[in-house]
Amino acid sequence: MSITVKRASQLKAKPDSHQLGFGTIFTDHMFNMDYAPDKGWHNPRIEPYAPIPMEPSTMVLHYGQAVFEGLKAYRHASGDIRLFRPQENFRRMNRSSHLLCIPEYDEAMALDCLKELLRIEKDWVPDAPGTSLYIRPTIIAMDPFLGVRASHTYRFFIILSPVGAYYASGFNPVKIWVTRNHVRAVRGGVGEAKTPGNYAASLYAGEVAHKHGYTQVLWLDGVEQKYVEEVGAMNIFFVIDGEVITPALNGSILPGITRDSVLALCRSWGWKASERKISIDEVMEAHHSGKLQEIFGSGTAAVISPVGELKYGDEIISVTDGKVGPIAMKLYQSLTDIQYGKAPDTLGWIEPV
Ligand SMILES: *Cc1c(COP(=O)(O)O)cnc(C)c1O
């Protein structure tokens, strides 16, 4: 399949790469491709960034049949642009699609299309420390139809947004709130898919946490409300008595690529890194016996997000004295050094554009 390219007649002014926020500025071009039952995925094209015309009856607006991804392009000191494990994102979006009854696409072709788009938009990849070009591939159901069934037609698009350093004001620990009144996802549901409904469903508990002065919600499992699953929209790690622990993937946890990279790095250093069930009671007991060393979240946006305080019921515990722990620090430094080409890519994670 060959991609057609229609260039924007006028280019936008590029922002100052030292003043960037997150998710507000979009580049000059986007990728689009359509699906129809008789044609399959067809008409891959790069065109000016523009609204998607749709009828008010468009199925995605009513039934939420959609999936998305989030990854970043990094500018290396040489000026070259690199991706971090992008194959994993396109593989995961196909797995999400499968759960949402969305037709799968050719992953290698999708990556080629992204690279083509990035070559056209290369001047949009910022160069200030900690900045990157955030990439948002998305698929939405396009049939104009009311009634619950899978759509017959879809739009696949990729948009790009230059983003600032996540830790512009320093690598500061966050406060997290353990909720027992809300769950993010349940066994047999779509918790392991990156699908918009999961995020809509997480907002209410997030607002309750914010009202109490907490940054993120710590989600427990939806069946027994006993085992830890995720933190906000990140995976979660605990360091207890020298063991790095993250909840095992069980269908209601999003299989993060940063999560997988953290496990791989820890194991490459010879550390004990486990994927297993971990209950909130085990975490609290580890704290009481002085064995809880660190807690941190992992995800593409923040990479590593250290936790300094946790509230569970009436109890508030301070983790690592509210400071950044040495393991969170080493992982953050190691991952970002690989992503920005400052350390050798010994695990084969860096993809040229
Ligand atoms: C995207 C996401 C993650 C992190 O995945 P990465 O691939 O590491 O960015 C974790 N949890 C949820 C709910 C997510 O949406």
PDB file of all heavy atoms in Angstrom, residues 35-59:
ATOM      1  N   TYR A  35     -11.359   2.262   7.133  1.00  0.00           N
ATOM      2  CA  TYR A  35     -11.715   0.841   7.014  1.00  0.00           C
ATOM      3  C   TYR A  35     -13.151   0.727   6.521  1.00  0.00           C
ATOM      4  O   TYR A  35     -14.051   1.408   7.025  1.00  0.00           O
ATOM      5  CB  TYR A  35     -11.602   0.129   8.363  1.00  0.00           C
ATOM      6  CG  TYR A  35     -11.920  -1.351   8.260  1.00  0.00           C
ATOM      7  CD1 TYR A  35     -10.923  -2.278   7.969  1.00  0.00           C
ATOM      8  CD2 TYR A  35     -13.238  -1.811   8.406  1.00  0.00           C
ATOM      9  CE1 TYR A  35     -11.222  -3.622   7.841  1.00  0.00           C
ATOM     10  CE2 TYR A  35     -13.531  -3.153   8.271  1.00  0.00           C
ATOM     11  CZ  TYR A  35     -12.519  -4.057   7.994  1.00  0.00           C
ATOM     12  OH  TYR A  35     -12.817  -5.385   7.854  1.00  0.00           O
ATOM     13  N   ALA A  36     -13.346  -0.131   5.533  1.00  0.00           N
ATOM     14  CA  ALA A  36     -14.691  -0.513   5.089  1.00  0.00           C
ATOM     15  C   ALA A  36     -14.660  -2.014   4.857  1.00  0.00           C
ATOM     16  O   ALA A  36     -13.612  -2.555   4.474  1.00  0.00           O
ATOM     17  CB  ALA A  36     -15.063   0.224   3.810  1.00  0.00           C
ATOM     18  N   PRO A  37     -15.775  -2.707   5.110  1.00  0.00           N
ATOM     19  CA  PRO A  37     -15.768  -4.172   5.010  1.00  0.00           C
ATOM     20  C   PRO A  37     -15.299  -4.682   3.648  1.00  0.00           C
ATOM     21  O   PRO A  37     -14.570  -5.666   3.567  1.00  0.00           O
ATOM     22  CB  PRO A  37     -17.237  -4.547   5.261  1.00  0.00           C
ATOM     23  CG  PRO A  37     -17.795  -3.412   6.042  1.00  0.00           C
ATOM     24  CD  PRO A  37     -17.073  -2.188   5.578  1.00  0.00           C
ATOM     25  N   ASP A  38     -15.679  -3.991   2.560  1.00  0.00           N
ATOM     26  CA  ASP A  38     -15.304  -4.473   1.226  1.00  0.00           C
ATOM     27  C   ASP A  38     -13.879  -4.088   0.842  1.00  0.00           C
ATOM     28  O   ASP A  38     -13.299  -4.693  -0.059  1.00  0.00           O
ATOM     29  CB  ASP A  38     -16.306  -3.953   0.177  1.00  0.00           C
ATOM     30  CG  ASP A  38     -16.463  -2.435   0.228  1.00  0.00           C
ATOM     31  OD1 ASP A  38     -16.244  -1.838   1.320  1.00  0.00           O
ATOM     32  OD2 ASP A  38     -16.764  -1.827  -0.813  1.00  0.00           O
ATOM     33  N   LYS A  39     -13.307  -3.101   1.503  1.00  0.00           N
ATOM     34  CA  LYS A  39     -11.967  -2.628   1.105  1.00  0.00           C
ATOM     35  C   LYS A  39     -10.890  -2.921   2.137  1.00  0.00           C
ATOM     36  O   LYS A  39      -9.715  -2.726   1.878  1.00  0.00           O
ATOM     37  CB  LYS A  39     -12.003  -1.107   0.893  1.00  0.00           C
ATOM     38  CG  LYS A  39     -12.874  -0.672  -0.289  1.00  0.00           C
ATOM     39  CD  LYS A  39     -12.723   0.837  -0.450  1.00  0.00           C
ATOM     40  CE  LYS A  39     -13.653   1.386  -1.509  1.00  0.00           C
ATOM     41  NZ  LYS A  39     -13.905   2.816  -1.305  1.00  0.00           N
ATOM     42  N   GLY A  40     -11.289  -3.325   3.358  1.00  0.00           N
ATOM     43  CA  GLY A  40     -10.323  -3.468   4.435  1.00  0.00           C
ATOM     44  C   GLY A  40      -9.774  -2.090   4.794  1.00  0.00           C
ATOM     45  O   GLY A  40     -10.414  -1.061   4.526  1.00  0.00           O
ATOM     46  N   TRP A  41      -8.578  -2.059   5.407  1.00  0.00           N
ATOM     47  CA  TRP A  41      -7.928  -0.765   5.679  1.00  0.00           C
ATOM     48  C   TRP A  41      -7.424  -0.227   4.354  1.00  0.00           C
ATOM     49  O   TRP A  41      -6.724  -0.925   3.623  1.00  0.00           O
ATOM     50  CB  TRP A  41      -6.774  -0.940   6.669  1.00  0.00           C
ATOM     51  CG  TRP A  41      -7.260  -1.155   8.072  1.00  0.00           C
ATOM     52  CD1 TRP A  41      -7.199  -2.315   8.794  1.00  0.00           C
ATOM     53  CD2 TRP A  41      -7.880  -0.185   8.925  1.00  0.00           C
ATOM     54  NE1 TRP A  41      -7.757  -2.137  10.035  1.00  0.00           N
ATOM     55  CE2 TRP A  41      -8.186  -0.833  10.146  1.00  0.00           C
ATOM     56  CE3 TRP A  41      -8.230   1.167   8.782  1.00  0.00           C
ATOM     57  CZ2 TRP A  41      -8.801  -0.184  11.211  1.00  0.00           C
ATOM     58  CZ3 TRP A  41      -8.845   1.816   9.844  1.00  0.00           C
ATOM     59  CH2 TRP A  41      -9.123   1.146  11.047  1.00  0.00           C
ATOM     60  N   HIS A  42      -7.769   0.997   4.016  1.00  0.00           N
ATOM     61  CA  HIS A  42      -7.414   1.555   2.705  1.00  0.00           C
ATOM     62  C   HIS A  42      -7.201   3.061   2.796  1.00  0.00           C
ATOM     63  O   HIS A  42      -7.534   3.690   3.798  1.00  0.00           O
ATOM     64  CB  HIS A  42      -8.510   1.226   1.686  1.00  0.00           C
ATOM     65  CG  HIS A  42      -9.832   1.882   2.012  1.00  0.00           C
ATOM     66  ND1 HIS A  42     -10.672   1.389   2.974  1.00  0.00           N
ATOM     67  CD2 HIS A  42     -10.427   3.000   1.523  1.00  0.00           C
ATOM     68  CE1 HIS A  42     -11.745   2.174   3.064  1.00  0.00           C
ATOM     69  NE2 HIS A  42     -11.608   3.166   2.200  1.00  0.00           N
ATOM     70  N   ASN A  43      -6.657   3.584   1.711  1.00  0.00           N
ATOM     71  CA  ASN A  43      -6.414   5.025   1.561  1.00  0.00           C
ATOM     72  C   ASN A  43      -5.551   5.617   2.683  1.00  0.00           C
ATOM     73  O   ASN A  43      -5.938   6.613   3.307  1.00  0.00           O
ATOM     74  CB  ASN A  43      -7.751   5.778   1.438  1.00  0.00           C
ATOM     75  CG  ASN A  43      -7.549   7.204   0.936  1.00  0.00           C
ATOM     76  OD1 ASN A  43      -6.468   7.545   0.445  1.00  0.00           O
ATOM     77  ND2 ASN A  43      -8.567   8.037   1.073  1.00  0.00           N
ATOM     78  N   PRO A  44      -4.370   5.022   2.934  1.00  0.00           N
ATOM     79  CA  PRO A  44      -3.474   5.639   3.924  1.00  0.00           C
ATOM     80  C   PRO A  44      -2.930   6.941   3.353  1.00  0.00           C
ATOM     81  O   PRO A  44      -2.499   6.979   2.205  1.00  0.00           O
ATOM     82  CB  PRO A  44      -2.368   4.587   4.083  1.00  0.00           C
ATOM     83  CG  PRO A  44      -2.355   3.836   2.795  1.00  0.00           C
ATOM     84  CD  PRO A  44      -3.759   3.848   2.282  1.00  0.00           C
ATOM     85  N   ARG A  45      -2.991   7.997   4.155  1.00  0.00           N
ATOM     86  CA  ARG A  45      -2.621   9.304   3.619  1.00  0.00           C
ATOM     87  C   ARG A  45      -2.122  10.235   4.714  1.00  0.00           C
ATOM     88  O   ARG A  45      -2.578  10.158   5.858  1.00  0.00           O
ATOM     89  CB  ARG A  45      -3.817   9.937   2.891  1.00  0.00           C
ATOM     90  CG  ARG A  45      -5.038  10.081   3.801  1.00  0.00           C
ATOM     91  CD  ARG A  45      -6.337  10.208   3.016  1.00  0.00           C
ATOM     92  NE  ARG A  45      -7.482  10.496   3.877  1.00  0.00           N
ATOM     93  CZ  ARG A  45      -8.193   9.553   4.522  1.00  0.00           C
ATOM     94  NH1 ARG A  45      -7.901   8.272   4.410  1.00  0.00           N
ATOM     95  NH2 ARG A  45      -9.216   9.899   5.300  1.00  0.00           N
ATOM     96  N   ILE A  46      -1.201  11.084   4.343  1.00  0.00           N
ATOM     97  CA  ILE A  46      -0.743  12.138   5.249  1.00  0.00           C
ATOM     98  C   ILE A  46      -1.304  13.429   4.693  1.00  0.00           C
ATOM     99  O   ILE A  46      -1.175  13.705   3.488  1.00  0.00           O
ATOM    100  CB  ILE A  46       0.792  12.148   5.333  1.00  0.00           C
ATOM    101  CG1 ILE A  46       1.261  10.891   6.086  1.00  0.00           C
ATOM    102  CG2 ILE A  46       1.288  13.422   6.028  1.00  0.00           C
ATOM    103  CD1 ILE A  46       2.742  10.614   5.996  1.00  0.00           C
ATOM    104  N   GLU A  47      -1.984  14.192   5.538  1.00  0.00           N
ATOM    105  CA  GLU A  47      -2.614  15.431   5.072  1.00  0.00           C
ATOM    106  C   GLU A  47      -2.548  16.473   6.179  1.00  0.00           C
ATOM    107  O   GLU A  47      -2.147  16.161   7.294  1.00  0.00           O
ATOM    108  CB  GLU A  47      -4.062  15.189   4.605  1.00  0.00           C
ATOM    109  CG  GLU A  47      -4.753  14.078   5.299  1.00  0.00           C
ATOM    110  CD  GLU A  47      -6.124  13.697   4.723  1.00  0.00           C
ATOM    111  OE1 GLU A  47      -6.437  13.988   3.549  1.00  0.00           O
ATOM    112  OE2 GLU A  47      -6.886  13.093   5.479  1.00  0.00           O
ATOM    113  N   PRO A  48      -2.951  17.703   5.870  1.00  0.00           N
ATOM    114  CA  PRO A  48      -2.903  18.727   6.919  1.00  0.00           C
ATOM    115  C   PRO A  48      -3.741  18.308   8.128  1.00  0.00           C
ATOM    116  O   PRO A  48      -4.797  17.689   7.960  1.00  0.00           O
ATOM    117  CB  PRO A  48      -3.493  19.958   6.233  1.00  0.00           C
ATOM    118  CG  PRO A  48      -3.192  19.753   4.776  1.00  0.00           C
ATOM    119  CD  PRO A  48      -3.297  18.271   4.546  1.00  0.00           C
ATOM    120  N   TYR A  49      -3.268  18.639   9.319  1.00  0.00           N
ATOM    121  CA  TYR A  49      -4.025  18.411  10.560  1.00  0.00           C
ATOM    122  C   TYR A  49      -5.350  19.151  10.426  1.00  0.00           C
ATOM    123  O   TYR A  49      -5.370  20.341  10.129  1.00  0.00           O
ATOM    124  CB  TYR A  49      -3.219  18.954  11.741  1.00  0.00           C
ATOM    125  CG  TYR A  49      -3.926  18.823  13.074  1.00  0.00           C
ATOM    126  CD1 TYR A  49      -3.725  17.707  13.869  1.00  0.00           C
ATOM    127  CD2 TYR A  49      -4.785  19.826  13.526  1.00  0.00           C
ATOM    128  CE1 TYR A  49      -4.372  17.586  15.094  1.00  0.00           C
ATOM    129  CE2 TYR A  49      -5.440  19.709  14.746  1.00  0.00           C
ATOM    130  CZ  TYR A  49      -5.223  18.578  15.520  1.00  0.00           C
ATOM    131  OH  TYR A  49      -5.869  18.456  16.721  1.00  0.00           O
ATOM    132  N   ALA A  50      -6.463  18.454  10.620  1.00  0.00           N
ATOM    133  CA  ALA A  50      -7.771  19.087  10.396  1.00  0.00           C
ATOM    134  C   ALA A  50      -8.841  18.334  11.167  1.00  0.00           C
ATOM    135  O   ALA A  50      -8.667  17.167  11.524  1.00  0.00           O
ATOM    136  CB  ALA A  50      -8.102  19.068   8.904  1.00  0.00           C
ATOM    137  N   PRO A  51     -10.009  19.006  11.422  1.00  0.00           N
ATOM    138  CA  PRO A  51     -11.131  18.314  12.057  1.00  0.00           C
ATOM    139  C   PRO A  51     -11.581  17.118  11.232  1.00  0.00           C
ATOM    140  O   PRO A  51     -11.359  17.073  10.023  1.00  0.00           O
ATOM    141  CB  PRO A  51     -12.238  19.384  12.092  1.00  0.00           C
ATOM    142  CG  PRO A  51     -11.527  20.682  11.965  1.00  0.00           C
ATOM    143  CD  PRO A  51     -10.306  20.414  11.134  1.00  0.00           C
ATOM    144  N   ILE A  52     -12.199  16.155  11.894  1.00  0.00           N
ATOM    145  CA  ILE A  52     -12.757  14.990  11.214  1.00  0.00           C
ATOM    146  C   ILE A  52     -14.265  15.226  11.100  1.00  0.00           C
ATOM    147  O   ILE A  52     -14.962  15.223  12.120  1.00  0.00           O
ATOM    148  CB  ILE A  52     -12.477  13.699  12.019  1.00  0.00           C
ATOM    149  CG1 ILE A  52     -10.967  13.513  12.178  1.00  0.00           C
ATOM    150  CG2 ILE A  52     -13.120  12.490  11.344  1.00  0.00           C
ATOM    151  CD1 ILE A  52     -10.574  12.320  13.042  1.00  0.00           C
ATOM    152  N   PRO A  53     -14.763  15.452   9.899  1.00  0.00           N
ATOM    153  CA  PRO A  53     -16.209  15.685   9.779  1.00  0.00           C
ATOM    154  C   PRO A  53     -16.961  14.406  10.142  1.00  0.00           C
ATOM    155  O   PRO A  53     -16.584  13.320   9.698  1.00  0.00           O
ATOM    156  CB  PRO A  53     -16.415  16.010   8.292  1.00  0.00           C
ATOM    157  CG  PRO A  53     -15.055  16.090   7.696  1.00  0.00           C
ATOM    158  CD  PRO A  53     -14.090  15.406   8.605  1.00  0.00           C
ATOM    159  N   MET A  54     -17.989  14.519  10.962  1.00  0.00           N
ATOM    160  CA  MET A  54     -18.778  13.331  11.296  1.00  0.00           C
ATOM    161  C   MET A  54     -20.199  13.721  11.655  1.00  0.00           C
ATOM    162  O   MET A  54     -20.459  14.828  12.115  1.00  0.00           O
ATOM    163  CB  MET A  54     -18.123  12.529  12.430  1.00  0.00           C
ATOM    164  CG  MET A  54     -17.923  13.259  13.718  1.00  0.00           C
ATOM    165  SD  MET A  54     -17.354  12.140  15.033  1.00  0.00           S
ATOM    166  CE  MET A  54     -15.641  11.930  14.606  1.00  0.00           C
ATOM    167  N   GLU A  55     -21.098  12.775  11.398  1.00  0.00           N
ATOM    168  CA  GLU A  55     -22.495  13.013  11.758  1.00  0.00           C
ATOM    169  C   GLU A  55     -22.653  12.882  13.270  1.00  0.00           C
ATOM    170  O   GLU A  55     -21.928  12.120  13.908  1.00  0.00           O
ATOM    171  CB  GLU A  55     -23.390  11.986  11.043  1.00  0.00           C
ATOM    172  CG  GLU A  55     -23.353  12.142   9.535  1.00  0.00           C
ATOM    173  CD  GLU A  55     -24.487  11.402   8.854  1.00  0.00           C
ATOM    174  OE1 GLU A  55     -25.563  11.234   9.476  1.00  0.00           O
ATOM    175  OE2 GLU A  55     -24.291  10.998   7.699  1.00  0.00           O
ATOM    176  N   PRO A  56     -23.647  13.583  13.830  1.00  0.00           N
ATOM    177  CA  PRO A  56     -23.897  13.439  15.279  1.00  0.00           C
ATOM    178  C   PRO A  56     -24.231  11.996  15.667  1.00  0.00           C
ATOM    179  O   PRO A  56     -24.080  11.619  16.821  1.00  0.00           O
ATOM    180  CB  PRO A  56     -25.101  14.360  15.533  1.00  0.00           C
ATOM    181  CG  PRO A  56     -25.082  15.323  14.396  1.00  0.00           C
ATOM    182  CD  PRO A  56     -24.527  14.593  13.212  1.00  0.00           C
ATOM    183  N   SER A  57     -24.655  11.200  14.712  1.00  0.00           N
ATOM    184  CA  SER A  57     -24.990   9.793  14.992  1.00  0.00           C
ATOM    185  C   SER A  57     -23.769   8.873  14.930  1.00  0.00           C
ATOM    186  O   SER A  57     -23.904   7.670  15.123  1.00  0.00           O
ATOM    187  CB  SER A  57     -26.030   9.306  13.975  1.00  0.00           C
ATOM    188  OG  SER A  57     -25.500   9.449  12.668  1.00  0.00           O
ATOM    189  N   THR A  58     -22.589   9.415  14.667  1.00  0.00           N
ATOM    190  CA  THR A  58     -21.395   8.563  14.532  1.00  0.00           C
ATOM    191  C   THR A  58     -21.219   7.684  15.773  1.00  0.00           C
ATOM    192  O   THR A  58     -21.228   8.172  16.905  1.00  0.00           O
ATOM    193  CB  THR A  58     -20.149   9.438  14.290  1.00  0.00           C
ATOM    194  OG1 THR A  58     -20.392  10.207  13.115  1.00  0.00           O
ATOM    195  CG2 THR A  58     -18.907   8.594  14.083  1.00  0.00           C
ATOM    196  N   MET A  59     -21.036   6.385  15.527  1.00  0.00           N
ATOM    197  CA  MET A  59     -21.116   5.412  16.629  1.00  0.00           C
ATOM    198  C   MET A  59     -20.139   5.663  17.772  1.00  0.00           C
ATOM    199  O   MET A  59     -20.468   5.446  18.930  1.00  0.00           O
ATOM    200  CB  MET A  59     -20.946   3.992  16.084  1.00  0.00           C
ATOM    201  CG  MET A  59     -22.170   3.537  15.302  1.00  0.00           C
ATOM    202  SD  MET A  59     -22.088   1.798  14.867  1.00  0.00           S
ATOM    203  CE  MET A  59     -22.655   1.031  16.383  1.00  0.00           C
TER     204      MET A  59
END
